[in-house]
């Protein structure tokens, strides 16, 4: 009887240690079976972009979506999403090496997020300093994905579908996008055979927000 009581407690403790996430203001993700992970408390006291990246990407690697509402984070490497969402907050990429802030694939929703890269002049060419890169090593962007109410700052290109990936995005909705300080292109679909993508209310290079 004692063994039966102890084992569930050990398993429960292991699960808590692995995820370390509370649900915050979100009860469930629209795309991720793992639900939303509220990062506010989890990142409290974290001081470096390297540490922040490791914690945030670890939550994604565990299948969680990110609830960043009310916080601003700095990351040193691109975030990799697959069938996950990001809600709220501000994400600043500090790498200054031309990489994107986010690389997404599968069915993803990015909603009410501010995205900042480090492009500072018109030398930010194709595929460099991207805000959101469509596709990653896990696949391409699939039907039902959305980029909604996202604000971009200092990005070489806001949303980019690379030419070396066939059909990088299909069924993606981009709406209520606002941009400030982009230098190369707004939305750049170099990938062939991207279909059924929709664009609404795009405000690019305006100073009213």
């Amino acid at each position: 009887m004692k063994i039966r009581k102890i084992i569930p407690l050990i398993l429960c403790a292991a699960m808590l240690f692995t995820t370390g996430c509370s649900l915050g203001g979100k009860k469930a993700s629209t795309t991720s079976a793992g639900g939303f992970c509220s990062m506010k408390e989890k990142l409290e006291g974290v001081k470096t972009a390297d540490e922040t990246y490791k914690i945030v990407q670890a939550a994604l690697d565990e299948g969680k979506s990110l609830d960043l509402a009310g916080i601003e984070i700095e990351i040193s490497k691109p975030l990799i999403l697959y069938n996950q969402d990001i809600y709220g907050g501000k994400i600043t990429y500090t790498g200054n090496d031309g990489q994107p802030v986010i690389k997404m694939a599968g069915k993803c929703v990015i909603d009410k997020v501010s995205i900042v890269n480090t492009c500072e002049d018109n030398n930010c060419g194709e595929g460099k300093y991207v805000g959101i890169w469509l596709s990653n090593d896990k696949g391409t962007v699939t039907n039902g994905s959305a980029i909604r109410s996202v604000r971009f700052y200092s990005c070489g290109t806001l949303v980019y579908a690379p030419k070396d990936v066939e059909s990088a995005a299909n069924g993606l909705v981009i709406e209520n996008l606002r941009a400030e300080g982009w230098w190369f292109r707004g939305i750049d679909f170099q990938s062939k055979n991207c279909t059924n993508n929709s664009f609404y209310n795009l405000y690019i290079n305006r100073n009213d927000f």
Side-chain angles (χ1 to χ4, degrees):
M1 293 295 294
K2 289 183 180 180
I3 293 176
R4 290 178 182 176
K5 290 181 180 179
I6 292 172
I7 290 175
L9 289 174
I10 293 173
L11 290 173
C12 183
M15 289 173 66
L16 287 171
F17 179 78
T18 301
T19 60
C21 294
S22 62
L23 292 178
K26 288 285 182 180
K27 293 183 179 180
S29 169
T30 56
T31 56
S32 169
F36 272 93
C37 176
S38 177
M39 302 303 297
K40 190 170 185 178
E41 292 183 4
K42 195 168 179 63
L43 292 173
E44 188 173 350
V46 177
K47 297 181 179 179
T48 71
D50 285 336
E51 289 179 292
T52 300
Y53 165 76
K54 290 177 183 178
I55 293 170
V56 173
Q57 188 59 54
L60 291 170
D61 291 344
E62 291 173 10
K64 301 292 183 180
S65 288
L66 302 179
D67 181 357
L68 301 178
I71 64 173
E72 299 181 7
I73 67 171
E74 293 185 349
I75 55 173
S76 58
K77 294 181 181 179
L79 295 179
I80 307 299
L81 277 67
Y82 184 69
N83 291 329
Q84 292 159 308
D85 301 344
I86 301 179
Y87 176 82
K90 183 176 183 180
I91 305 171
T92 299
Y93 179 65
T94 63
N96 197 26
D97 54 7
Q99 293 196 74
V101 182
I102 294 169
K103 299 184 78 172
M104 66 184 242
K107 183 180 177 183
C108 300
V109 175
I110 299 178
D111 187 14
K112 297 181 178 63
V113 180
S114 293
I115 292 175
V116 186
N117 211 317
T118 54
C119 179
E120 297 179 350
D121 55 44
N122 57 10
N123 291 322
C124 300
E126 182 182 321
K128 295 182 179 180
Y129 300 93
V130 170
I132 299 175
W133 185 289
L134 304 178
S135 75
N136 58 40
D137 291 342
K138 297 182 179 181
T140 58
V141 176
T142 58
N143 187 56
S145 295
I147 299 171
R148 298 194 185 106
S149 302
V150 175
R151 300 181 176 187
F152 295 86
Y153 302 86
S154 300
C155 294
T157 299
L158 310 180
V159 181
Y160 180 71
K163 64 177 66 175
D164 59 344
V165 177
E166 180 82 9
S167 192
N170 295 283
L172 169 67
V173 175
I174 299 178
E175 58 183 334
N176 298 326
L177 178 154
R178 293 176 178 263
E180 171 68 18
W182 63 278
W183 292 95
F184 187 69
R185 290 176 181 156
I187 298 173
D188 189 6
F189 275 48
Q190 294 290 325
S191 175
K192 295 180 179 180
N193 300 321
C194 293
T195 60
N196 300 319
N197 299 297
S198 304
F199 310 88
Y200 307 97
N201 302 327
L202 310 183
Y203 304 95
I204 296 177
N205 205 30
R206 295 181 62 174
N207 297 314
D208 60 347
F209 58 91

